[in-house]
Amino acid sequence: MAAMALKIYVYVLIFYFGCASSAFAETVNDLLNQQYKNQTLALRYPFSHGELKFDSSGQPLTKPTDRWLVYGGIYIRDIKLSRDSLVLQGPRIAFPGSSEKGMPTLVLQKKVKVHIHLDRSLSTLTEAQDLLGRIFFLDQNDLSRARPEYRRSDYRPKDAAAPVELSSFGKDGLKRPRAVYTPEPDFSEEARHARYQGIVVMHIVVDTSGNVSDIRIDRALGRGLDENAVDAVKKWKFSPATRDGQPVSVAMAIEISFNLR
């Protein structure tokens, strides 16, 4: 009889702690949604095809295989916390702007899913924030990092010096890069059908070989035009900028116009 009572007591304890753990998860989940739902968060790591997976320490489990690495932000629409996972979902955005309804002005991709595997349940909001802070930039002062950036994975600067800004040209023996090959981007079918046109503003880096190594979208259009502009600019070739006859990397702003003729 005593053994039966002890067995029942153990089952009660298991049930109690299981319910308590579930209640903690629900509470933290609610707090996370209050804190981050309908907010823009910039990823510390590049996007990859399909679901983005991270371990319980915040390290990526999936690695991008493309020649170009893509960075940027996600507009968080949904957060779900369970005992063994934390999942955030939302669209990639072009830049952290908002419409009258508070939604992102421009969406580049329908949905991104970030799946974080947990080796133990998260019992407090602080624990969850510490984990998210290893994957996202949580400070709203870092929103500029949410702008889409494309970086060539095989590019390695010859020195640690930052690229020379275009405004410095004409000084200290600096000469501008000269465009050699600049194919125009295609119009997206969505934009063409809607008779939609405009200008995409980008910030690019031309390296010492005359190749484009970094692309940042500073003003986007949406409707597939930004992606087409990036695809075209990736192929551009230059005679590199020089200082006293030696090639140097240069950063400059460019505009890509989409006009229906």
Side-chain angles (χ1 to χ4, degrees), residues 67-69 150-156 207 211-214:
R67 183 168 179 251
W68 285 81
L69 303 178
Y150 300 75
R151 306 173 194 168
R152 219 177 67 227
S153 59
D154 62 350
Y155 172 61
R156 297 292 181 272
D207 64 26
N211 296 313
V212 176
S213 60
D214 287 52

Side-chain angles (χ1 to χ4, degrees), residues 25-41:
E26 288 182 8
T27 300
V28 176
N29 185 78
D30 290 341
L31 292 172
L32 284 172
N33 274 279
Q34 292 173 22
Q35 187 82 23
Y36 300 113
K37 188 174 181 178
N38 299 330
Q39 299 293 322
T40 296
L41 297 180

